[in-house]
Amino acid sequence: PPLELGFTSFYGRFRHFLDIIDPRTLFVTELWSAQKIKQAILHPDTNEKIFMPFRMSGKPLGPSGSVVGLLLPNQTLASTVFWQWLNQSHNACVNYANRNATKPSPVSKFIQGYLGAVISAVSIAVGLNVLVQKANKFTPATRLLVQRFVPFPAVASANICNVVLMRYGELEQGIDVLDGDGNLVGSSRIAARHALLETALTRVVLPMPILVLPPIVMSMLEKTALLQARPRLLLPVQSLVCLAAFGLALPLAISLFPQMSEIETTQLEPEIAQATSSRTVVYNKGL
């Protein structure tokens, strides 16, 4: 049924998306009847398998390395560009693979969206980092602390650009909306705006625990006798902290809104309201 992914409670969605991001689903090639596997690896619009690295179950594993890189102290311009490019490239592919796919999207649109998303995202991130590095009012210790937290506003704003540009075709063509029985009512640009807004909000919330918690945790762990005596352990410990933060943040963020979102027909185009007797319709927000 069309509302099966539109869990009404946050806790219900949170439990559901814990299953969706289970890394074990990355290694499933042949399907069996388990609903968990089906929802984790099949696109709800096309019923085709999502390419393995860009399934939501791969997201905690994929970008964790780039997140560790983003949080490394004493970044150079080149290293900042590299880690932001790596992070936003993966984000772009995940956004595209998990978009609303009710309308065909040519490869040229993907390339345009990818270039625009990655260039704008990297520019924002690098610009913020350069501003901090040129801030002469900060003491070296304060500048280092601020640099550790700069990735959050940089990545959050870059993520919004990434989602909008990778899924801009939905705003142009609209997305399919369905009635309560799963029947197609029509195509709505207004629903597409709602879908992109909701997805963009999840991308702002997503980096919060990932880019804010690890610097706090690491600033405390770095003072322990173990890590001071064995500085080589810093990178693996930071990697584990980032992976744990990502595993918590992802289901929390994507649980904010149902994947199959519901909207009143009075909020949509007049032709949509006239085409159905249903008070509400549903659409695939995407992830």
Side-chain angles (χ1 to χ4, degrees), residues 9 24 89 99 103 131 135 137 162 204 208 216 267 277:
S9 72
R24 289 174 296 180
S89 291
R99 72 195 187 283
K103 296 287 185 294
L131 284 175
K137 295 180 181 179
N162 201 319
V204 173
M208 285 183 184
I216 296 172
Q267 298 181 41
S277 58

Side-chain angles (χ1 to χ4, degrees), residues 90-102:
H90 186 269
N91 286 346
C93 292
V94 169
N95 288 336
Y96 184 80
N98 294 276
R99 72 195 187 283
N100 179 295
T102 54

